[in-house]
Amino acid sequence: MTTPLLPGRRRLLAGALAAFALTGAHAQGEWPKGQTIKLVVPFTAGSGTDIVARLVAERLGPALGTSVIIDNKPGAGGTLGAAQVAKAPADGYTLLVHSAGHLVNPSIYPNLSYDTLKDFAGITPMASLPNMLVVAPGRFADVKDLVAQVKSKPGSFNYGSAGNGSATHMNAEVFRLAAGLQAQHVPFRGTPEAMTEVMGGRIDWFFAPMVSALPLVKDGKLKALAVGTGKRSAVMPQLPTTVEAGVPGSEYLFWVGLFAPAKTPRPAIDRLQAEVAKIMTAPELRERLDKLGAEPFTMPSAQFDKFLAEETAKAQQVVKAAGIKVD
């Protein structure tokens, strides 16, 4: 039998419930409290990942009513910066901007201090960026010439990357395997360093993010032979894909995404996903991305987590086939 509440007790209970509801609403609405949000980019300034991060950061701050800063932490194929975020408080104020290479690292770094899937919450991918196969001007006439020269002297040529397991490395390996080439891999700290060596003729080729290489190609400091994606870029429609250039099975998707430490509150993740989706589809930003050869690429966080698991399995297959190891 339920004992009815006296009028006074009813008022007290109603007041307590109202206070609880207000507290809960305040707790969900108070993030980000005006506190600075840090986006850790595990690559050097000027890399494709860094460029996308900066385009988003300058718009995400005003959207959230706070400041958003970039913290470049390059090294070890992006694992140094990722480790920092994995160990950061799961409060929504320290986030990771990483590329497709994030999913490769578990296969080549057996002693990682973090679990790529378990220690991060996927927020959303932000953009897909075609990689361009670039060489020094006058080095190779086209993709067929490159393949022919490398095959004529197995092991005598080299190719660069922004680090072991980076998206630039994976694109190069997918291409190398598809073309049946034997060449030496030379990893660098980041994209700018690799492009410098290509321009100097010390590296024979490099799959550079278009957002980074396009200005140098237009200035004639680098020569683009093809794009590594499955379709041509609207920015350089005259440039064939590596598949069209005679290397079937060489297409590779390079993307940049936003991550948070695992157990970051769901309201923060949902807000970030929603704001980034708005930012990436805004006409002004789409125009900026078009000029860089990048395309908006977003999805709900739950879908992104599923995508990450599937892409991790694909990356493991490439690593095994290419025999990728930490140099």
Side-chain angles (χ1 to χ4, degrees), residues 73-100:
K73 294 288 183 182
T79 63
L80 297 183
Q84 176 182 324
V85 176
K87 298 173 184 176
D91 54 13
Y93 296 106
T94 301
L95 307 173
L96 175 69
V97 178
H98 213 317
S99 70

Side-chain angles (χ1 to χ4, degrees), residues 237-322:
Q238 75 280 12
L239 201 62
T241 66
T242 52
V243 173
E244 291 174 330
V247 187
S250 59
E251 64 272 14
Y252 179 78
L253 176 64
F254 175 27
W255 52 266
V256 173
L258 184 63
F259 303 80
K263 300 182 181 179
T264 295
R266 176 52 54 179
I269 289 177
D270 291 343
R271 177 81 186 278
L272 285 163
Q273 193 280 332
E275 295 297 348
V276 170
K278 291 178 186 177
I279 289 170
M280 300 311 295
T281 55
E284 183 269 339
L285 185 61
R286 292 202 64 151
E287 184 178 346
R288 291 280 299 276
L289 292 174
D290 287 344
K291 292 179 180 178
L292 295 170
E295 297 181 4
F297 178 40
T298 64
M299 64 180 70
S301 56
Q303 185 180 344
F304 188 34
D305 281 331
K306 182 179 179 182
F307 171 83
L308 294 172
E310 293 172 348
E311 291 298 304
T312 296
K314 293 180 183 178
Q316 289 173 343
Q317 294 176 356
V318 174
V319 169
K320 183 177 180 180

Side-chain angles (χ1 to χ4, degrees), residues 210 231-238 290 293 295:
M210 185 175 282
K231 64 177 182 178
R232 295 194 182 199
S233 169
V235 177
M236 295 189 72
Q238 75 280 12
D290 287 344
E295 297 181 4

